[in-house]
Amino acid sequence: MIETINIGTESYEIWMEHGVLQKIDKWVKNFFSGEKILIITDDAVGAIYLGDVKERLKQSGYTTFSFVVQVGEQSKSLGTAEKIYQFLNDNTFDRGGLILSLGGGVVGDLSGFVASTYQRGISFAQIPTSLLAQVDASIGGKTAVNLPGIKNSVGTFYQPSGVLIDPVVLTTLKTEAISEGLAEVIKCGMIQDSSILDEMMDAASFSEIVQEIEKLIIKSIRVKKALVEEDVFDQGMRMKLNFGHTIGHGIEATLGYGNITHGEAVAIGMVKMNQFAIQKGWTPKDTQALLIKLLEKVHLPTDFPKIDLEKVFEAMRHDKKSKSHGVSVVTLDGIGQSRIRSISWEEIKKSLA
Ligand code: GLY
């Protein structure tokens, strides 16, 4: 499947195909005519794929370099970005080079951030290797690094020249990582495309869902494509992708990154936000039963773990999407239909308590 993200001069293609990583050299040729490529990856993904990716690119005449970061959220920092700038500079990269991210959301966000700021912008392309990155993080041009305790607080909008998705790489992921990505897939179904949820309900088990993963990835990409094309800079409709994320980010920040996955936090956030919207009379009650059933089916939590809710609330207030009077949240009008609403801090605090 080739899907184009149509956003004017910054349009790009997502090429998804079983085993397509073997054709990486052909893919790169589509959008890059330079010579030097820096591959940024983490030690876990790099151990499996870096050697092969480098070799294929080398055989096609590219000069390749690699920068391997430690796996985990702590690598998404200004400190790591600075080390990569230095590496680029030491290896005389100029704006004619390419940065290729090979990894999950952390590597993609960090690589995009470095690419958008090194010499005011160097070409960049993404090979997402986690389900979460394939259905969400690699598409739409959001790049970021974290400040201590504040996720994604420094970043840019910078579109990749291309995205290469090979579902084969998902076979090396742990179940927990698949569940994490499925939280975003369920989100896409709830906010925009109920056929995603139908497919997941029709599957008899978690492993049957995984067998259908390519279809689910394509449908989720199409949900994201539609919202990004309408609102590249996240000022309007794109915010629908944040369903469950305000509470989710509050949970992640409170527990500390690494103690809960982003998908788990978003799963709880969706349930709590939906419960709030049902209480307000904005959302039909039957949405909650379906949401919970699907999350349980893919082994995601649906209730708060042991956590200080006051701290969750404070973390939500410091989230970059928050304003002094309140926050924009996404609520469901029905299954596969959503809208953005502004709510006050008093309302959301009362509901969480
Ligand atoms: N991950 C949400 C967005 O890209 O807008």
Side-chain angles (χ1 to χ4, degrees):
M1 175 215 63
I2 294 187
E3 197 65 73
T4 305
I5 304 294
N6 290 303
I7 44 175
T9 53
E10 291 184 287
S11 298
Y12 56 94
E13 284 181 348
I14 300 166
W15 180 3
M16 172 172 150
E17 193 182 308
H18 200 83
V20 73
L21 199 51
Q22 313 283 327
K23 302 184 197 163
I24 184 172
D25 44 339
K26 278 203 194 83
W27 170 66
V28 168
K29 279 206 164 61
N30 285 333
F31 55 80
F32 180 60
S33 53
E35 183 223 323
K36 280 167 110 167
I37 301 178
L38 172 66
I39 303 158
I40 302 178
T41 189
D42 66 39
D43 43 17
V45 172
I48 312 174
Y49 302 110
L50 181 60
D52 194 44
V53 163
K54 262 184 124 168
E55 191 50 38
R56 281 180 196 280
L57 292 172
K58 211 170 109 191
Q59 277 175 13
S60 293
Y62 296 108
T63 308
T64 58
F65 300 78
S66 49
F67 194 98
V68 182
V69 302
Q70 228 183 18
V71 67
E73 197 69 34
Q74 73 287 345
S75 288
K76 219 171 105 176
S77 67
L78 283 167
T80 316
E82 190 177 352
K83 287 186 188 136
I84 305 174
Y85 297 141
Q86 198 59 58
F87 184 88
L88 286 162
N89 194 59
D90 291 348
N91 290 288
T92 61
F93 266 78
D94 59 22
R95 294 177 70 192
L98 171 72
I99 290 183
L100 202 54
S101 80
L102 174 68
V106 166
V107 168
D109 285 5
L110 171 70
S111 306
F113 179 75
V114 168
S116 68
T117 45
Y118 181 71
Q119 295 191 356
R120 299 201 179 91
I122 173 172
S123 296
F124 164 59
Q126 300 237 37
I127 308 173
T129 57
S130 70
L131 180 59
L132 184 97
Q134 293 188 346
V135 297
D136 186 45
S138 66
I139 305 155
K142 280 188 179 174
T143 85
V145 291
N146 304 327
L147 291 181
I150 319 174
K151 201 170 167 178
N152 297 337
S153 45
V154 180
T156 56
F157 284 95
Y158 193 66
Q159 303 301 332
S161 302
V163 179
L164 188 78
I165 298 181
D166 187 345
V168 173
V169 302
L170 303 178
T171 55
T172 54
L173 295 183
K174 293 198 181 111
T175 309
E176 193 189 47
I178 298 287
S179 295
E180 170 165 43
L182 285 171
E184 298 287 356
V185 172
I186 292 172
K187 175 201 76 183
C188 288
M190 290 309 266
I191 61 167
Q192 190 104 337
D193 180 359
S194 61
S195 75
I196 292 176
L197 311 175
D198 295 340
E199 300 236 7
M200 293 180 77
M201 284 308 287
D202 288 347
S205 60
F206 180 80
S207 51
E208 269 194 27
I209 290 175
V210 175
Q211 280 163 29
E212 295 300 314
I213 205 74
E214 292 186 31
K215 267 196 236 159
L216 296 172
I217 296 172
I218 293 171
K219 282 178 186 254
S220 304
I221 287 174
R222 289 188 177 141
V223 169
K224 182 139 192 189
K225 166 185 157 70
L227 293 171
V228 166
E229 286 179 351
E230 195 173 335
D231 173 27
V232 177
F233 295 108
D234 206 14
Q235 300 291 314
M237 283 303 150
R238 182 169 176 169
M239 284 194 256
K240 285 187 173 184
L241 293 163
N242 294 331
F243 178 47
H245 280 60
T246 303
I247 297 176
H249 284 161
I251 298 170
E252 276 184 282
T254 304
L255 290 181
Y257 302 109
N259 294 321
I260 187 165
T261 68
H262 177 67
E264 287 168 339
V266 166
I268 300 165
M270 287 192 287
V271 172
K272 297 296 169 187
M273 183 46 64
N274 206 43
Q275 190 177 312
F276 169 75
I278 290 168
Q279 278 161 8
K280 295 289 289 182
W282 293 334
T283 297
K285 282 198 185 97
D286 61 344
T287 53
Q288 191 72 332
L290 180 71
L291 177 59
I292 290 177
K293 203 164 181 179
L294 280 166
L295 293 172
E296 285 175 347
K297 197 165 182 177
V298 300
H299 314 317
L300 285 165
T302 58
D303 205 352
F304 286 122
K306 202 167 169 311
I307 198 166
D308 182 343
L309 288 177
E310 194 62 46
K311 284 199 179 139
V312 174
F313 181 70
E314 278 316 306
M316 285 164 60
R317 287 192 76 139
H318 288 102
D319 193 271
K320 64 187 180 315
K321 292 180 197 73
S322 304
K323 308 264 184 308
S324 56
H325 57 280
V327 66
S328 296
V329 295
V330 182
T331 61
L332 303 179
D333 288 351
I335 309 279
Q337 294 165 341
S338 53
R339 73 170 67 202
I340 300 156
R341 297 177 191 266
S342 284
I343 56 173
S344 72
W345 285 118
E346 286 67 39
E347 277 185 291
I348 197 148
K349 188 171 184 181
K350 212 165 83 194
S351 145
L352 278 185

